[in-house]
Amino acid sequence: MQRTLIGELGNHIGETVSISGWVDVRRDQGKMVFFDFRDRSEIVQGVVLPASGAMEIAKEIRNEFVVRVEGTVNKRPEKNAQSNRQNGDIELEIKTIEILNPSDAMPFDISGDTSGIDESVRAEYRYLDLRSKRMQKNMRTRGEFIRRCREYLFTKDFIEIETPLLTESTPEGSRDFVVPSRLNPGKFYALPQSPQQYKQLLMIAGFEKYFQIARAIRDEDLRADRGFEHTQVDIEMSFVTMEDVMAAVEDMMTAVVEAMGYAIKQKPFPRISYKDAMEKYGNDKFDLRTPEEKEKGILAYAWVVNFPFFEKTDSGDWTFTHNPFSMPIPEHLDWLMKGERIGEILTTQYDLVCNGSESGGGSIRANKPEILEAVYRVMGFSKEELKERIGHMLKAFRYGAPPHGGIALGVERNIMNLTGETMLREVQAFPMTRGGQTAVMKAPKPLSQKQLNELHLSINADDVSEN
Ligand code: ASP
């Protein structure tokens, strides 16, 4: 018999059906055995009645066994119907049960919220953790958000293009993860902190409207809202101003989250300068919601603009605040070119904040070699260093680079806002632990001597810790 999804059972009352899935709960009442069965769509209660041929096998079955069940879909009598439960008005009268695969006892309870369970245990058994209702919901919310962003961008004539993972360092303000090159002894690739330079090169290549659901990999100190890896909805557009990019992103975010059933506090999104935000809220990732709006899960978006381009490092040198590839605001371009009033130069950066966190950020880019050169000069780069670091961009800009700009929206931050989660790892399928250990699998780990030799690497024994 063909499989029916549990979520479809309501359309098959009175019929005999076959379902497949997991045993969510088993309640043995002696004469009768009750089950809740679960598949990707829903949950349904099943009952093995006293005279049923399925009784013997029902006694063997435990939680999380994988089963195929045949039975009749019955409407529950009015008094037994549970309107607050999925499929609460029907029940499967079980005729046969086939065990497709048994299961060991769960290492922890997955029937409720697993956020309180020890992190390393959850990580080791992440595939079980992900079975829990909350994690299923988080991952499905994530999937829907990405799907809707993609669909929206396709309707607006964007093209999705992948950019390399093995690449050269792009400055995003973090450390790089590096990969040794077997073919080039002593040389290393960097994993991308973002596709920043490639997406700009794609504008020079004439694509005009690019997006990518891009992985960004940064060696950062791990925090609740930060991991080594995150995903961005990465966008770049040609022949645009700040207004154009902000309008496009605002329209996309509104369309996507409203289609997902969320309400937005204020449209159009309010705008505030960095200076005013700091004065008014004391930070640039403020939360505009009232306590009641927080309760209701309302999304309070706002744009922050007019950020300073540069800030001083601890050693007293200038560095960029957001993105070295940005263009200053037109009124301040002259200061940049002359290297004057550095601390006062404002950038075309725009950050999208939502519910107290940064949901995205981007800028209009410097598209002329002399402007990008001026940025790096401010940061103290010599002509040679400049050539070494961004020579390829300076060269590309000499071949008809259109005006362009873009943004990256952090997928995890957005899903945290949508789900109300406060930890990044609750919205990633296989996140790392705080100690940087991968879920389920055991990286990082040592390489064999053979691999080290192939990669032309030797390990400094003093640096190796016991674990
Ligand atoms: N590359 C920037 C980032 O990853 C985003 C952008 O400016 O488009 O934050």
Side-chain angles (χ1 to χ4, degrees), residues 27-284:
R27 289 180 296 275
D28 193 339
Q29 298 198 346
K31 286 204 185 110
M32 291 198 281
V33 183
F34 289 91
F35 292 98
D36 285 345
F37 298 113
R38 181 184 82 232
D39 68 12
R40 68 173 194 276
S41 63
E42 227 170 273
I43 284 189
V44 70
Q45 174 164 293
V47 58
V48 178
L49 295 174
S52 167
M55 188 52 92
E56 200 174 323
I57 198 160
K59 295 272 176 192
E60 260 177 58
I61 289 172
R62 296 291 176 268
N63 289 356
E64 298 305 317
F65 275 35
V66 186
V67 291
R68 179 160 47 222
V69 178
E70 278 186 24
T72 311
V73 184
N74 291 333
K75 201 149 185 72
R76 288 200 207 181
E78 203 71 36
K79 63 177 191 354
N80 291 345
Q82 292 178 300
S83 57
N84 56 346
R85 291 198 57 180
Q86 292 181 328
N87 276 337
D89 57 339
I90 57 173
E91 186 175 68
L92 195 63
E93 187 185 325
I94 298 167
K95 298 283 171 354
T96 62
I97 308 179
E98 181 186 351
I99 298 175
L100 300 178
N101 219 344
S103 169
D104 285 357
M106 290 294 105
F108 51 91
D109 182 13
I110 60 167
S111 68
D113 184 324
T114 55
S115 57
I117 309 285
D118 179 72
E119 187 193 13
S120 60
V121 178
R122 282 182 76 194
E124 182 179 350
Y125 296 99
R126 186 64 166 182
Y127 45 91
L128 299 180
D129 190 20
L130 286 169
R131 282 186 193 169
S132 67
K133 202 169 169 184
R134 182 177 59 101
M135 295 308 291
Q136 285 274 320
K137 179 168 158 280
N138 289 355
M139 294 317 300
R140 289 179 193 283
T141 302
R142 180 182 174 126
E144 184 181 352
F145 177 80
I146 291 175
R147 173 173 65 77
R148 288 187 185 278
C149 287
R150 249 203 188 100
E151 283 171 0
Y152 176 92
L153 291 164
F154 286 141
T155 65
K156 300 288 174 187
D157 207 22
F158 281 79
I159 171 172
E160 183 172 13
I161 302 179
E162 288 157 285
T163 54
L165 282 180
L166 293 173
T167 178
E168 198 186 334
S169 179
T170 279
E172 289 283 356
S174 292
R175 285 191 194 85
D176 289 323
F177 273 98
V178 295
V179 180
S181 166
R182 179 178 57 84
L183 293 178
N184 301 277
K187 295 192 176 155
F188 295 81
Y189 302 97
L191 300 179
Q193 292 189 31
S194 86
Q196 182 68 38
Q197 299 188 53
Y198 286 115
K199 68 174 171 175
Q200 292 193 240
L201 295 171
L202 289 170
M203 295 302 102
I204 301 173
F207 289 101
E208 292 195 28
K209 289 177 126 190
Y210 141 98
F211 85 94
Q212 177 178 196
I213 309 301
R215 311 301 295 276
I217 302 159
R218 305 178 182 182
D219 188 354
E220 308 198 89
D221 293 334
L222 298 172
R223 298 202 308 242
D225 61 348
R226 271 205 187 150
F228 290 149
E229 294 185 47
H230 71 273
T231 304
Q232 304 181 332
V233 181
D234 196 46
I235 293 174
E236 199 75 7
M237 302 159 80
S238 292
F239 306 107
V240 286
T241 59
M242 284 177 74
E243 288 301 324
D244 295 327
V245 182
M246 291 161 79
V249 171
E250 190 162 326
D251 194 52
M252 178 182 84
M253 289 304 286
T254 304
V256 168
V257 301
E258 288 187 347
M260 292 174 76
Y262 294 90
I264 295 172
K265 178 177 166 109
Q266 199 181 332
K267 295 187 291 188
F269 302 168
R271 289 186 191 187
I272 186 165
S273 72
Y274 171 75
K275 187 163 167 282
D276 289 348
M278 294 308 281
E279 275 166 19
K280 199 161 167 193
Y281 308 110
N283 67 62
D284 58 355

